[in-house]
Amino acid sequence: MKALRTFRKNYELFLLTVPGMLFLFVFCYIPLYGLVLPFKDYRYDLGFWKSPWVGFKNFHFLFSSEDALRITRNTVLLNALFIVVLLVLSIMFALMLYEMSRKFVKLYQTIMFFPFFLSWVVVSYVFLAFLDMEHGFINMLLQKMHISPVLWYNEPSYWPSLLVSANTWKNIGYFTIIYYTGLLGIDSELFDAADIDGASKLQKIKNISIPMLKPMITMLLLLQIGKIFYGNFDLFYNLTRDSSLLYSTTDVIDTYVYRSLKGVGDFGMSSAASAYQSFVGFILVIVSNWIIKKYDRENALF
């Protein structure tokens, strides 16, 4: 009865949630029946439900191959680098923007945010203009300096740093603006009081800015940790031009699933890899939130 009274009192607000609830139901809950696919030997002639059940055979095939360790290592390590580098640099840039004159902030925001709107396909061709083996700008510069050109798309050792640089360049503006808006929400009286007490810039950052941004940092970190097993397919596929010589350092779960599905047409193994991503990502979010809750309960996500 209490729930019914609450609904009658706030039915306009409940009606506003209907489109969002329908969206979640259609695109997030109905597709959950696909979770049985990793446990089946999918056959086109039998269809989804009549295909034979094979249990964990698809997972066994995935993890018994040498590829499983490589794609898992690459996915986790590269995404961890993306998270750490973006976190540190975006907070630094947000703090610098906050100290600038408001007259120039919009200009810098626009310059930093512009790469975020570029497609990874476009970015891949920009990188190709620099890294092309014959006509790339860097190799032409090396030749003029009488240095042997580098076969960038044949040398896997260069690509972890190249991928981190590309991801940072494209996304740093987005995260910088998020942290900058968080800084704008801090009560200016706190900074005024710190100025009266003679606090330096670094002391204000350490004792006011960073602590006040901690809830936002925690939330974004948890969301990113939840996707640490999901490689950005557009980034890893387009930027590397799917060069097989680079797989040792650039092949991630998403590109592996794509090639498996495209080349072999094995829906069971491909969906097993995707289910593996989702399950481990879910566990990581739960564990990360539990650790945060244990040491700083107020900043936990749930």
Side-chain angles (χ1 to χ4, degrees):
M1 292 298 293
K2 184 177 180 181
L4 184 60
R5 287 196 300 270
T6 303
F7 176 78
R8 286 176 178 175
K9 185 177 180 181
N10 304 286
Y11 74 93
E12 298 95 339
L13 296 176
F14 282 102
L15 288 176
L16 288 173
T17 66
V18 170
M21 292 173 66
L22 286 174
F23 180 86
L24 286 173
F25 179 73
V26 171
F27 293 101
C28 297
Y29 285 93
I30 292 179
L32 285 176
Y33 69 85
L35 288 174
V36 301
L37 192 57
F39 306 96
K40 290 198 167 197
D41 180 15
Y42 181 76
R43 289 175 51 183
Y44 294 95
D45 57 333
L46 296 177
F48 188 84
W49 296 110
K50 293 184 180 179
S51 295
W53 186 273
V54 295
F56 289 94
K57 183 179 178 181
N58 290 320
F59 291 93
H60 180 265
F61 180 79
L62 173 66
F63 291 113
S64 62
S65 68
E66 296 179 358
D67 299 330
L69 178 61
R70 186 192 73 228
I71 61 176
T72 301
R73 181 198 65 212
N74 290 343
T75 305
V76 173
L77 292 181
L78 287 172
N79 277 330
L81 283 172
F82 293 166
I83 292 171
V84 172
V85 173
L86 269 178
L87 173 67
V88 174
L89 291 182
S90 57
I91 291 177
M92 287 174 59
F93 278 108
L95 291 168
M96 285 190 286
L97 280 179
Y98 188 75
E99 296 297 328
M100 287 181 182
S101 170
R102 298 294 182 265
K103 184 171 61 175
F104 298 104
V105 165
K106 287 187 178 181
L107 174 63
Y108 288 108
Q109 278 183 327
T110 304
I111 293 172
M112 293 179 67
F113 200 60
F114 175 74
F116 182 75
F117 293 103
L118 295 178
S119 165
W120 277 113
V121 177
V122 175
V123 175
S124 71
Y125 280 100
V126 173
F127 265 68
L128 182 63
F130 281 91
L131 304 178
D132 186 70
M133 299 178 187
E134 294 182 10
H135 307 292
F137 174 77
I138 295 178
N139 277 347
M140 292 177 67
L141 189 63
L142 290 175
Q143 286 177 342
K144 288 183 179 180
M145 298 170 63
H146 304 289
I147 300 174
S148 299
V150 179
L151 302 179
W152 298 100
Y153 291 94
N154 292 352
E155 297 290 340
S157 59
Y158 295 111
W159 280 90
S161 56
L162 288 173
L163 290 170
V164 171
S165 301
N167 182 74
T168 303
W169 173 75
K170 192 172 186 298
N171 294 303
I172 192 168
Y174 174 79
F175 286 96
T176 297
I177 289 176
I178 291 177
Y179 290 124
Y180 176 68
T181 54
L183 289 170
L184 292 177
I186 300 174
D187 191 349
S188 60
E189 292 184 0
L190 294 173
F191 294 104
D192 294 337
D195 288 332
I196 294 171
D197 290 338
S200 64
K201 295 283 186 184
L202 288 177
Q203 288 174 326
K204 286 190 287 185
I205 290 171
K206 180 181 176 181
N207 298 303
I208 300 176
S209 300
I210 299 300
M212 296 299 286
L213 285 177
K214 192 182 291 185
M216 183 179 290
I217 294 171
T218 303
M219 181 184 68
L220 291 176
L221 271 179
L222 284 174
L223 293 175
Q224 290 176 291
I225 288 171
K227 294 183 178 180
I228 200 169
F229 266 73
Y230 285 85
N232 187 328
F233 176 81
D234 290 335
L235 164 63
F236 290 102
Y237 185 81
N238 290 304
L239 208 67
T240 63
R241 313 197 72 77
D242 197 31
S243 173
S244 59
L245 297 172
L246 305 179
Y247 285 168
S248 61
T249 58
T250 65
D251 196 20
V252 293
I253 297 173
D254 298 78
T255 52
Y256 180 80
V257 169
Y258 172 77
R259 285 198 312 276
S260 299
L261 192 57
K262 181 183 176 182
V264 185
D266 192 334
F267 277 89
M269 192 183 70
S270 302
S271 55
S274 297
Y276 165 59
Q277 282 180 297
S278 301
F279 176 75
V280 176
F282 173 74
I283 296 299
L284 283 173
V285 170
I286 298 298
V287 172
S288 302
N289 188 75
W290 176 78
I291 293 172
I292 292 171
K293 200 171 185 178
K294 187 174 181 180
Y295 292 98
D296 193 358
R297 192 177 186 86
E298 291 183 0
N299 289 318
L301 193 59
F302 52 87

